[in-house]
Amino acid sequence: LSLVGDGELKEDLLKYISKEDITNVQYLGRKSKQELIRIYKDHDALILTSKYEGLPLVILEAMASGLPIICTDIAGVRSFIKNNGILTSFEPKDIANACLKLIENDLDYSMFSQESYKTAKKFTWERLIKKYLLPLYKRLELTNKDCI
């Protein structure tokens, strides 16, 4: 298990890992985009256990790398996880069970991986601009014409 990133719980987490003598976890810290690409390729899934998220870029990046996603069932990610991963509660037991399900079922893993990649392709800059920005600009343009 590799932990990537930084946050307010970092020190507590590192103390816990040390205190419990957990040896199969590596803390990698904050990484550049290039380093993240390599990390995604070297791993089998993304596990995100946040309590709050908007649109987490890490999920889109992991999906673009074909990784299945295991994440807590929160509003910011719920709409991205359909056939490409598992939504779970914050309970450690439920997160562990989701990981085991993914490990034990090759068919789910393969399907989740393929669906992750397909889902990520929906979020290219070109598609986002066409879907959100162009309609917004057109509405603003119409609104401004009415004001003149």
Side-chain angles (χ1 to χ4, degrees):
L1 178 66
S2 298
L3 303 174
V4 180
D6 209 357
E8 60 189 47
L9 298 176
K10 172 187 165 187
E11 292 305 317
D12 292 340
L13 182 61
L14 292 175
K15 285 179 190 173
Y16 180 82
I17 291 170
S18 176
K19 177 183 162 203
E20 298 297 324
D21 196 28
I22 299 172
T23 58
N24 58 348
V25 173
Q26 60 179 336
Y27 175 73
L28 302 178
R30 188 175 292 274
K31 296 295 175 188
S32 71
K33 295 295 176 198
Q34 290 303 320
E35 290 170 309
L36 286 174
I37 291 169
R38 182 190 51 77
I39 290 168
Y40 293 138
K41 287 181 181 180
D42 291 344
H43 288 78
D44 298 315
L46 174 79
I47 304 168
L48 184 68
T49 59
S50 298
K51 290 188 177 186
Y52 313 99
E53 288 289 345
L55 168 58
L57 189 55
V58 66
I59 285 183
L60 294 176
E61 292 169 343
M63 288 189 308
S65 297
L67 290 180
I69 310 296
I70 296 172
C71 64
T72 46
D73 188 4
I74 56 175
V77 298
R78 189 175 297 130
S79 60
F80 295 100
I81 309 303
K82 301 292 183 210
N83 296 324
N84 59 336
I86 302 169
L87 291 171
T88 184
S89 76
F90 296 104
E91 294 296 320
K93 172 186 70 155
D94 293 337
I95 296 167
N97 285 336
C99 292
L100 287 173
K101 179 180 179 187
L102 192 62
I103 291 168
E104 293 171 351
N105 192 328
D106 287 341
L107 290 177
D108 278 351
Y109 182 88
S110 180
M111 180 192 71
F112 289 162
S113 180
Q114 290 171 13
E115 289 298 320
S116 274
Y117 185 73
K118 283 186 209 174
T119 302
K121 285 172 53 176
K122 295 176 186 175
F123 293 94
T124 64
W125 282 115
E126 183 178 326
R127 285 184 179 207
L128 292 173
I129 288 169
K130 284 180 182 176
K131 185 172 181 175
Y132 297 106
L133 285 180
L134 290 179
L136 174 64
Y137 284 130
K138 287 179 183 180
R139 279 187 285 167
L140 289 172
E141 185 178 68
L142 289 175
T143 302
N144 287 336
K145 284 182 181 179
D146 291 342
C147 294
I148 297 176

